[in-house]
Amino acid sequence: MTTTTTSPATPVTQPPVSPLERFRVPGAFLLGAVVLLGIAPLLVSDFRLNLLAKYLCYAIVAVGVSLAWGRGGLLVLGQGVFFGLGGYAMAMHLKLADAADTGQTLPDFMQLYGTSDTLPWWWKPFANPAFALAMTVLLPMAIAALLGFLVFRRRVKGAYFAILSQALAAALSIWLIGQQATTGGTNGLTDIQGFFGYSLNDPVNQRMVYFIIAAVLLLLMAGARQLFISRYGELLVAVRDSEERVRFLGYNPANVKLVAYVVAAGMAGLAGALFVPAVGIISPALIGIVPSIGFVIGAAVGGRASLVGAVLGAVAVAWAQSTLSDAFPAAWTYLQGLLFVVAVGFLPGGLASLVSVVRRRRPATRTRTTPVGEAP
């Protein structure tokens, strides 16, 4: 009778991480901070810096789109709703503050179009700056939580979810247009002069707003990346790839998708709130179906699965819109749609995946094998 001895299993050792790989992500964030907070304010004029602040607000929305769509597979075509909710919450407070500075109790547009001499009841809480700041994020997240709970529990996904998102954006835009006496109608809330005690007509204060927007963008990118590499981020990818398997393992995919959708809505609301002091206006034209699609196109062109790609894509598409829409106002909408079709149909990973695509298509180099006994 022979006995066999088994050797103890050798532990699996992970390959050492190179210093370059270890410091790649912190180095990228440091480079982004230097460019946005150091180089851009020194080299760019005040006018261009204000435009860049506007583009960075769109980039903040793209961070949420990258989380919800790039990681979770949720085609969020209604981010304009949450962008608008955050923008209107901020603009309402700033308009009330401007009116108080001039000794008025009503904003200027209400004195023109209003039918009453008293402030509407739902405007009054926004006179408190803490309440207004909280609502810029909590109100979009609450609406997203309610909608997501109703939609994801019924397992609505794909094109049906996208259509519902667009319907919500259209409904909010139509409602805002119809409430001219209390929301400004098609004009929206315009001519905003101050920002928490600082005059927006001062170039120094406009630069301060830019620095705030750039810092918020960097912080949200860092937070989103932590979500990407966390256990929740892996679970979100698993739900995107195989929802039924995740359900079989005991997780509720509806809750996983709901968290991503709510977080993305909060980011969009914060972007809308920062957009108001950067531009001085918020209107229904900025929150309808077309702007909502524009947010998604920016992330798709840059690369929705990559945070840096989504941010750069959002800035590039916004810059192209500002530049080309003036020269070709009738053709820009068609070009925008073409960009989305090309990005989704032919380059799903966006411009961020070009390097990997080229590497995969490059023919492998053949290496000569040396037979045993032959000198190399």
Side-chain angles (χ1 to χ4, degrees), residues 84-269:
L85 289 173
Y88 268 89
M90 174 63 75
M92 288 165 66
H93 169 72
L94 297 182
K95 291 296 290 183
L96 290 175
D98 288 346
D101 290 340
T102 58
Q104 304 292 329
T105 57
L106 295 177
D108 50 5
F109 75 94
M110 286 189 183
Q111 299 176 24
L112 257 147
Y113 307 118
T115 58
S116 175
D117 294 335
T118 59
L119 193 67
W121 64 268
W122 51 278
W123 269 74
K124 293 179 180 179
F126 289 92
N128 187 325
F131 179 86
L133 284 174
M135 286 298 103
T136 59
V137 177
L138 296 182
L139 183 59
M141 293 179 73
I143 299 297
L146 177 61
L147 178 64
F149 178 82
L150 297 176
V151 169
F152 299 139
R153 292 286 178 177
R154 294 181 176 274
R155 302 185 185 181
V156 177
K157 54 186 177 180
Y160 300 101
F161 174 73
I163 292 172
L164 284 175
S165 299
Q166 282 198 323
L168 183 61
L172 179 62
S173 178
I174 293 172
W175 181 82
L176 290 172
I177 292 174
Q179 305 297 317
Q180 186 173 12
T182 54
T183 64
T186 55
N187 295 326
L189 304 181
T190 62
D191 195 26
I192 295 173
Q193 301 294 322
F195 181 63
F196 294 97
Y198 295 93
S199 173
L200 292 176
N201 295 322
D202 189 346
V204 175
N205 295 334
Q206 291 179 347
R207 282 180 169 259
M208 178 190 68
V209 172
Y210 166 79
F211 282 120
I212 293 174
I213 294 173
V216 169
L217 172 62
L218 292 172
L219 290 175
L220 289 180
M221 289 181 67
R225 186 184 179 276
Q226 288 303 116
L227 277 179
F228 280 17
I229 64 177
S230 66
R231 183 178 180 182
Y232 169 76
E234 296 177 355
L235 187 59
L236 184 61
V237 174
V239 170
R240 179 196 66 191
D241 296 338
S242 182
E243 186 172 329
E244 294 302 325
R245 288 187 179 183
V246 173
R247 184 177 288 108
F248 177 76
L249 292 174
Y251 294 97
N252 189 346
N255 294 336
V256 177
K257 293 189 289 187
L258 181 63
V259 171
Y261 187 52
V262 171
V263 171
M267 292 183 182

Side-chain angles (χ1 to χ4, degrees), residues 58-68 217 220-221 224 267 307 310-311:
Y58 296 153
I60 293 175
V61 183
V63 174
V65 173
S66 180
L67 174 65
L217 172 62
L220 289 180
M221 289 181 67
M267 292 183 182
L307 277 175
V311 166

Side-chain angles (χ1 to χ4, degrees), residues 50-61:
N50 289 340
L51 283 180
L52 182 57
K54 172 184 173 181
Y55 301 157
L56 294 185
C57 291
Y58 296 153
I60 293 175
V61 183

